[in-house]
C-alpha cells in the first residue's frame, strides 16, 4: 500500500524541471557533436595558416602582403561556399553539405602542404575556402534546430567558442612540432579531420524541424526555391542588412586582433615558436571557456547583452598587449582578450543568426550573413600588413586601430538589432 505523502512526492518529482543537460535526447547530442566536430576542425585547418605566413613568405621569396592575400582569398571564397551550402541545406538537408565541407577542407589543406610554388598554395587555400564556408551554415543550423530552446544560448557558446579549441590545437602544434615538421607538416596534419565524416554519416539525423518544414512547403505548395533572394525582400531586408553589419564588424574585430598577432610576435618582438605557442594555447582556451560563460549570460539576460558587453570590454584590453614589449604583460593581456574580442563577443553567432530567420531560408540566410562578413574580414590582413610595412608602423598600431573601430561598430549594430532570446524554431512556413 502507498504510504502517506507518496502521491505528493510523485507530483513534485513530476513537476520539478530536469537539469538542462538531461533534456536533450541521444539524437540531439549526436547532432550537436557533429556540428561541434565540423566547426572545431574547420578552425584548426584555417588558423594553422596564420602561424606560418612569415616562413611561407621566406620560402617562396614573396612579400608578407602577398601571403596575406592567401588568407584574404580563403575568406572571400567562404562566402561562395556558404551560400551554395545554405541553398543545399535548406532544400536537401543539413547533413550532406556538412559532410562534403569537412572532407573538402581536409583534403585541400593536405594538398597545400605539397605546394611546389606559391601559386599552387594560393589555389589550394582558395578552394579550401569554399569548403570552409560550407561548413558553418550546415553545422550551425543542424545544431540550433536540433537543440532545446532552454539552453540554446549556452550551447551556441560551446559551439562557436570551439573555434578557440581549433586555434588552440594550431598553436600547440606550432609550439611543439614546428621546428621538426615545418610549415608543410603543419598543413599535412590538416587531413585528419576527414575522419569525422564517418561519424556524421552513420550517427546523425536531419532535424525534425527542417523535415517537417519541407513537408509543409510541399503540402501547402509554398516551396521556397530561391532562399537567397527571399531574405532581401520587403519585410526581411532590414533584418538581413543588420545581420550583415553585425557579422562584418565581428570579422574585422576578430582578425584585427588575431590574424597578424603571431607575425607581430615573430617580427616585431622576435619571440620563439615555443613562446608564441604558449600564449596562443592559453588565450584560445580562455576563448572556449568564456564563450560558454557568455552563453549562460545569453540564456539568462539575452543575446544582445552577451554580445555587446564583451565587444566593449575588448577596447581597453587591446592597448595592454599591443603597446608594450613586456612579455609577461603581453601574455596576460592577450589571454584576457580571449574572453572578449578574441572570441567572447562572437559566442552567440549560431543562436542569434539562426533565430532571426525562418526555417525555409535559415541555412542560406545564416550562411550568407555570416560569411559576407568574411569578405570584410579578408581585407584586414593585407590592409594592416600594408600600414605595418609600407608606413613603417610595425604591426601593433594598425592592429589597435582596427580593434577599437570594429568593436564599436559591432556593439552599435547589435544594439540596433532584435532580441531573440525566447524565439522558438518551428516548422511553420513563413515565406511564400
Amino acid at each position: 500500500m502507498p504510504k502517506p505523502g507518496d502521491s505528493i512526492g510523485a507530483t513534485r518529482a513530476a513537476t520539478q524541471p530536469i537539469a538542462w543537460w538531461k533534456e536533450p535526447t541521444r539524437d540531439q547530442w549526436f547532432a550537436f557533436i557533429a556540428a561541434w566536430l565540423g566547426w572545431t576542425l574547420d578552425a584548426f585547418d584555417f588558423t594553422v595558416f596564420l602561424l606560418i605566413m612569415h616562413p611561407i613568405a621566406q620560402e617562396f621569396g614573396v612579400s608578407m602582403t602577398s601571403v596575406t592575400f592567401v588568407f584574404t582569398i580563403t575568406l572571400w571564397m567562404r562566402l561562395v561556399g556558404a551560400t551554395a551550402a545554405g541553398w543545399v541545406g535548406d532544400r536537401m538537408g543539413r547533413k550532406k553539405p556538412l559532410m562534403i565541407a569537412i572532407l573538402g577542407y581536409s583534403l585541400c589543406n593536405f594538398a597545400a602542404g605539397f605546394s611546389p610554388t606559391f601559386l599552387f598554395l594560393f589555389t589550394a587555400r582558395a578552394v579550401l575556402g569554399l569548403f570552409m564556408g560550407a561548413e558553418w551554415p550546415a553545422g550551425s543550423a543542424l545544431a540550433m534546430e536540433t537543440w532545446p530552446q532552454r539552453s540554446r544560448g549556452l550551447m551556441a557558446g560551446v559551439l562557436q567558442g570551439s573555434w578557440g579549441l581549433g586555434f588552440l590545437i594550431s598553436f600547440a602544434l606550432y609550439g611543439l612540432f614546428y621546428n621538426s615538421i615545418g610549415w608543410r607538416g603543419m598543413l599535412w596534419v590538416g587531413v585528419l579531420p576527414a575522419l569525422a565524416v564517418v561519424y556524421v554519416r552513420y550517427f546523425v539525423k536531419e532535424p525534425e524541424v527542417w523535415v517537417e518544414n519541407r513537408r509543409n512547403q510541399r503540402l501547402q505548395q509554398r516551396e521556397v526555391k530561391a532562399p537567397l533572394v527571399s531574405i532581401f525582400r520587403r519585410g526581411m531586408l532590414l533584418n538581413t542588412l543588420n545581420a550583415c553589419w553585425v557579422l562584418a564588424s565581428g570579422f574585422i574585430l576578430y582578425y584585427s586582433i588575431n590574424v597578424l598577432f603571431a607575425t607581430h610576435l615573430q617580427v616585431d618582438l622576435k619571440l620563439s615558436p615555443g613562446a608564441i605557442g604558449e600564449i596562443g594555447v592559453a588565450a584560445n582556451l580562455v576563448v572556449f571557456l568564456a564563450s560558454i560563460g557568455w552563453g549562460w549570460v545569453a540564456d539568462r539576460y539575452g543575446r544582445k547583452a552577451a554580445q555587446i558587453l564583451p565587444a566593449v570590454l575588448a577596447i581597453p584590453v587591446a592597448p595592454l598587449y599591443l603597446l608594450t614589449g613586456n612579455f609577461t604583460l603581453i601574455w596576460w593581456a592577450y589571454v584576457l582578450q580571449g574572453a572578449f574580442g578574441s572570441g567572447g563577443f562572437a559566442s552567440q553567432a549560431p543562436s542569434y543568426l539562426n533565430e532571426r530567420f525562418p526555417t525555409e531560408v535559415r541555412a542560406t540566410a545564416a550562411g550568407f550573413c555570416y560569411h559576407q562578413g568574411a569578405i570584410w574580414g579578408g581585407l584586414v590582413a593585407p590592409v594592416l600588413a600594408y600600414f605595418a610595412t609600407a608606413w613603417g608602423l610595425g604591426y601593433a598600431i594598425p592592429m589597435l586601430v582596427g580593434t577599437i573601430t570594429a568593436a564599436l561598430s559591432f556593439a552599435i549594430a547589435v544594439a540596433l538589432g532584435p532580441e531573440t532570446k525566447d524565439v522558438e524554431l518551428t516548422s511553420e512556413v513563413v515565406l511564400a
Side-chain angles (χ1 to χ4, degrees):
M1 294 180 61
K3 298 178 181 179
D6 277 1
S7 59
I8 297 176
T11 301
R12 287 177 178 172
T15 58
Q16 186 176 6
I18 62 173
W20 69 267
W21 63 86
K22 295 181 180 179
E23 184 179 3
T25 65
R26 185 177 65 171
D27 287 341
Q28 289 172 318
W29 274 110
F30 282 165
F32 181 85
I33 292 171
W36 176 83
L37 279 173
W39 184 237
T40 303
L41 300 174
D42 188 343
F44 166 71
D45 271 359
F46 179 73
T47 58
V48 71
F49 186 78
L50 305 185
L51 305 178
I52 56 178
M53 290 193 293
H54 183 58
I56 285 175
Q58 291 179 316
E59 173 151 344
F60 290 114
V62 298
S63 68
M64 267 299 297
T65 302
S66 297
V67 178
T68 60
F69 271 109
V70 178
F71 157 83
T72 299
I73 195 65
T74 303
L75 280 180
W76 285 359
M77 294 299 283
R78 284 172 66 170
L79 177 60
V80 179
T83 304
W87 184 88
V88 174
D90 285 330
R91 300 282 297 166
M92 301 173 62
R94 315 312 194 192
K95 281 181 57 175
K96 290 180 181 178
L98 180 60
M99 290 189 293
I100 293 170
I102 295 172
L103 185 62
Y105 67 63
S106 301
L107 295 177
C108 285
N109 217 32
F110 185 65
F114 291 96
S115 298
T117 65
F118 182 68
L119 179 60
F120 186 97
L121 176 71
F122 186 94
T123 304
R125 292 289 296 186
V127 178
L128 179 143
L130 286 172
F131 294 109
M132 289 191 62
E135 191 283 331
W136 197 88
S140 68
L142 174 67
M144 295 298 99
E145 287 178 340
T146 303
W147 201 261
Q149 189 274 335
R150 177 163 63 130
S151 55
R152 191 185 301 136
L154 176 67
M155 297 307 285
V158 174
L159 179 62
Q160 191 70 12
S162 293
W163 179 272
L165 293 183
F167 207 173
L168 183 156
I169 296 170
S170 295
F171 270 109
L173 183 69
Y174 178 78
L176 295 172
F177 299 109
Y178 175 75
N179 289 333
S180 300
I181 65 176
W183 67 265
R184 293 182 185 275
M186 292 186 67
L187 293 178
W188 290 333
V189 174
V191 75
L192 296 178
L195 298 174
V197 172
V198 178
Y199 170 84
V200 179
R201 171 67 179 84
Y202 289 102
F203 291 96
V204 178
K205 298 179 180 179
E206 294 289 356
E208 293 181 7
V209 166
W210 177 82
V211 173
E212 185 64 18
N213 178 266
R214 286 295 295 154
R215 189 181 73 85
N216 289 338
Q217 287 186 56
R218 296 187 183 98
L219 289 176
Q220 298 173 24
Q221 296 184 343
R222 298 172 63 187
E223 289 193 66
V224 178
K225 298 182 179 180
L228 184 61
V229 174
S230 298
I231 66 175
F232 287 99
R233 288 177 177 165
R234 182 181 301 177
M236 196 165 289
L237 177 61
L238 292 180
N239 180 51
T240 300
L241 293 178
N242 175 261
C244 288
W245 178 12
V246 170
L247 270 299
S249 302
F251 266 86
I252 295 173
L253 172 57
Y254 180 82
Y255 287 115
S256 292
I257 293 171
N258 291 293
V259 69
L260 292 174
F261 181 69
T263 303
H264 166 58
L265 299 184
Q266 292 162 355
V267 176
D268 294 336
L269 302 181
K270 312 299 182 185
L271 295 184
S272 67
I276 296 170
E278 178 187 326
I279 296 175
V281 167
N284 282 286
L285 179 60
V286 171
V287 167
F288 176 65
L289 296 176
S291 294
I292 298 174
W294 289 114
W296 177 86
V297 171
D299 281 333
R300 188 172 180 86
Y301 300 106
R303 313 301 194 226
K304 294 172 73 170
Q307 296 175 92
I308 293 173
L309 286 175
V312 172
L313 290 171
I315 295 173
V317 175
L320 298 180
Y321 60 85
L322 288 174
L323 301 183
T324 181
N326 184 291
F327 177 76
T328 301
L329 181 56
I330 292 172
W331 198 100
W332 284 105
Y334 184 73
V335 169
L336 178 63
Q337 187 68 288
F340 307 130
S342 283
F345 80 97
S347 70
Q348 292 309 294
S351 57
Y352 194 54
L353 281 181
N354 282 283
E355 289 165 350
R356 291 179 67 151
F357 295 96
T359 301
E360 55 267 32
V361 299
R362 181 168 293 124
T364 299
F368 177 84
C369 293
Y370 188 89
H371 285 92
Q372 63 78 39
I375 297 295
W376 304 99
L379 294 172
V380 171
V383 170
L384 297 188
Y386 170 77
F387 283 107
T389 56
W391 287 42
L393 296 175
Y395 291 97
I397 296 300
M399 289 167 64
L400 181 61
V401 173
T403 298
I404 294 173
T405 304
L408 289 173
S409 177
F410 179 85
I412 293 170
V414 174
L416 295 176
E419 177 57 68
T420 63
K421 173 178 175 288
D422 298 317
V423 170
E424 291 283 355
L425 305 187
T426 70
S427 59
E428 178 185 357
V429 180
V430 176
L431 303 175

